[in-house]
Amino acid sequence: QVQLVESGGGVVQAGGSLRLICAASGFTFSTYAMGWFRQAPGKEREFAAGISWKGGRTDYADSVKGRFTISRDNVKKTVYLQMNNLRPDDAAVYYCAADRSVGPPVRYDVDYEYWGQGTQVTVSS
């Protein structure tokens, strides 16, 4: 059974940091690119960050570049999203997703095969 379980969300003040964790099971994690997406109330889901299957390539939305860092541990089957200098407009439900691709990470959610249930991030001003 495929599972992606996110954790690490919470409430933080603007300028603070959070580290999201996504634990994977039920599929060959090391052969999948991974992505973090987010969805704020009333808005469409959007790409935040992605990492290739071996971790050698990363991609970030312009809105998070320089503040967020995605990484992965293929032994632990885990992907991380370190979020620094959080802003109120970063508040959203954050989802991790898996894409069966050997290329660079992609930004289109339709390309991702597996999804987690999401973790809430709230940023107070």
Side-chain angles (χ1 to χ4, degrees), residues 11-91:
V11 180
V12 64
Q13 287 189 330
S17 298
L18 284 174
R19 187 192 195 204
L20 303 185
I21 301 169
C22 174
S25 61
F27 64 101
T28 308
F29 179 78
S30 60
T31 64
Y32 280 68
M34 298 297 295
W36 285 97
F37 289 76
R38 64 185 186 181
Q39 188 168 21
K43 295 187 176 181
E44 293 188 354
R45 185 167 57 191
E46 64 176 8
F47 171 82
I51 188 166
S52 59
W53 61 316
K54 290 186 177 181
R57 301 183 187 182
T58 57
D59 187 28
Y60 298 93
D62 288 345
S63 58
V64 308
K65 197 172 295 182
R67 300 185 298 120
F68 290 13
T69 303
I70 188 171
S71 60
R72 67 187 295 160
D73 184 330
N74 284 349
V75 174
K76 294 183 178 179
K77 301 181 182 181
T78 303
V79 62
Y80 307 94
L81 186 67
Q82 178 66 43
M83 307 186 296
N84 297 329
N85 193 20
L86 283 159
R87 310 185 305 216
D89 60 357
D90 293 316

